[in-house]
């Protein structure tokens, strides 16, 4: 199939995944003690509290995200299903782009992979809960997509974009540090690249990835 036709299929899959979240969460998304903390943090931000007032052991990006609809007067509890539906649609679109080969003609395999992605029960068990995992998944997928673009073009901009994505993932869930470390190791051990260039690229990636966390810790 052509690349245009493939993009159309991925767009339909993205709309389907977001629609499924909306249609099956009419009573809201599930909550746990962690979810309650995120919601309370979002509400405190809407009431004028600063990021510095949030406890450091709770990464801030997810509460910030679910607080944004509150600027329109919508409580985080009421907007969560829409936020997660948008994240699901975006994650599907990014995944579809990630598995697409860089060829003019595309086989059925990446289409099947995208369908498996949106139909996997484990994915929806996460997206139905008020957890930070959906945002974390989206940021990591985008990170991998940017890294792939960097490897294809050697663009410093794509490398910085990948670093920013993994840095934001770290202030969504601190487990993101493992992916940042893996990225540094990959850049240091990449074959066919001179050692000074590898060191320069790894240092650039590491510094850019660390900025969101360092800023958060400085506030705390």
């Amino acid at each position: 199939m052509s690349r245009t036709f493939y993009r159309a299929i991925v767009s339909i899959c993205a709309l389907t995944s977001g629609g499924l979240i909306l249609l099956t969460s009419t009573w809201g998304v599930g909550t746990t003690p962690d979810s309650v903390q995120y919601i309370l943090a979002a509400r405190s931000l809407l009431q004028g509290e600063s990021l510095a007032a949030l406890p450091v052991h709770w990464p801030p990006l997810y509460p910030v995200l679910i607080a944004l609809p509150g600027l329109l007067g919508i409580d985080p509890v009421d907007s969560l299903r829409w936020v997660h539906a948008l994240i699901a649609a975006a994650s599907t679109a990014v995944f579809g782009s990630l598995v697409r080969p860089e060829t003019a003609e595309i086989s059925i395999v990446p289409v099947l992979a995208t369908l498996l992605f949106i139909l996997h029960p484990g994915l929806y068990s996460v997206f139905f809960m008020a957890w930070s995992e959906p945002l974390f998944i989206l940021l990591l997928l985008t990170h991998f997509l940017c890294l792939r673009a960097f490897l294809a073009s050697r663009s410093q901009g794509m490398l910085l974009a990948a670093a920013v994505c993994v840095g934001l993932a770290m202030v969504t869930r601190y487990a993101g540090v493992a992916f940042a470390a893996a990225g540094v190791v990959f850049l240091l051990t990449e074959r066919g690249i001179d050692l000074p260039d590898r060191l320069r690229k790894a240092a650039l990636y590491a510094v850019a990835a660390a900025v969101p966390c360092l800023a958060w810790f400085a506030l705390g």
Side-chain angles (χ1 to χ4, degrees), residues 104-184:
E105 294 295 322
I106 300 172
S107 71
I108 195 67
V109 174
V111 174
L112 294 176
T114 305
L115 288 173
L116 287 172
F117 179 81
I118 70 169
L119 295 175
H120 195 288
L123 185 72
Y124 289 94
S125 68
V126 170
F127 277 78
F128 283 138
M129 301 298 295
W131 295 336
S132 59
E133 278 87 345
L135 178 59
F136 187 69
I137 290 170
L138 173 59
L139 289 169
L140 288 183
L141 288 173
T142 309
H143 164 251
F144 294 138
L145 184 62
C146 291
L147 272 184
R148 174 183 167 176
F150 162 71
L151 293 175
S153 65
R154 311 309 300 185
S155 165
Q156 183 169 292
M158 283 294 99
L159 182 62
L160 280 172
V164 168
C165 286
V166 82
L168 292 176
M170 285 192 287
V171 290
T172 302
R173 295 187 64 80
Y174 291 136
V177 70
F179 293 90
V184 171

Side-chain angles (χ1 to χ4, degrees), residues 66-86:
I66 63 176
L68 289 178
L71 299 176
L72 302 175
I74 306 172
D75 187 80
V77 171
D78 298 322
S79 64
L80 271 170
R81 58 191 288 263
W82 289 91
V83 172
H84 281 220
L86 290 172

Side-chain angles (χ1 to χ4, degrees), residues 28-52:
V29 297
T31 57
T32 63
D34 286 358
S35 307
V36 172
Q37 294 299 320
Y38 290 135
I39 293 167
L40 291 176
R43 284 175 173 169
S44 70
L45 291 173
L46 291 171
Q47 291 167 1
E49 293 284 352
S50 69
L51 280 174

